[in-house]
Amino acid sequence: MKKLLVATAFGALLLSGCSLFHPKDNAWERAVEERPLEVPPDLDTPPTSAQLVVPPAGDAAAAPAAAGTPPGAVAGDSLALADDVDNAYRRVGMALERSGVGTVTARDDAAHSYQVAVQTTVVHEKQGGFFRRLFSRKKKETVSGTVSVTVSAEAGGSKVQLEGERNAVQQVLAALKARLG
């Protein structure tokens, strides 16, 4: 009987948890909201240009940056080259062919444009609860897309504009940055 009483008392002590050992005064219950942070007036914002400056082949250190475009700024659909339009068009064409990102299906030398057929893989996330996501596989789908790549003149160089399906554009842009950078 004494063992049962000791076991019951010990069980009650365990079930009471840590509340016996911690003070009842919780700091988070007394916390008050502070005023939000303020940005100092002399702080300037980072550049919002959405272009990547790629120097011409050869001496990369002496290449002039495109006007108004900081080096290293990445765009979702365009990039800048510090080169004339004809040379940039030729470099972009070679980069597209050698990268293997897709197949150049059409080119227009007068308009300085390419059409690229790209195969992209889209991953669809499973919706549902924890166990459904744990025991099911992600659905992968291969999608064909066409990306239009156009090279045009811009102050201080050339601009490469990409248009098409978002994933395909990102894939071609990444390949161009890797080849031209």
Side-chain angles (χ1 to χ4, degrees), residues 55-58 81-95 112 114 151 158 160 180:
L81 298 174
D83 212 348
D84 65 83
V85 177
D86 292 328
N87 197 27
Y89 174 69
R90 183 185 54 79
R91 288 178 57 204
V92 167
M94 287 184 358
H112 295 109
Y114 295 99
V151 180
S158 302
V160 181
L180 298 174

Side-chain angles (χ1 to χ4, degrees), residues 1-9:
M1 181 73 172
K2 211 175 201 187
K3 289 183 180 181
L4 181 62
L5 185 61
V6 170
T8 306

Side-chain angles (χ1 to χ4, degrees), residues 103-119:
T103 305
V104 177
T105 57
R107 71 179 68 220
D108 185 359
D109 293 334
H112 295 109
S113 67
Y114 295 99
Q115 293 292 324
V116 183
V118 181
Q119 298 284 338

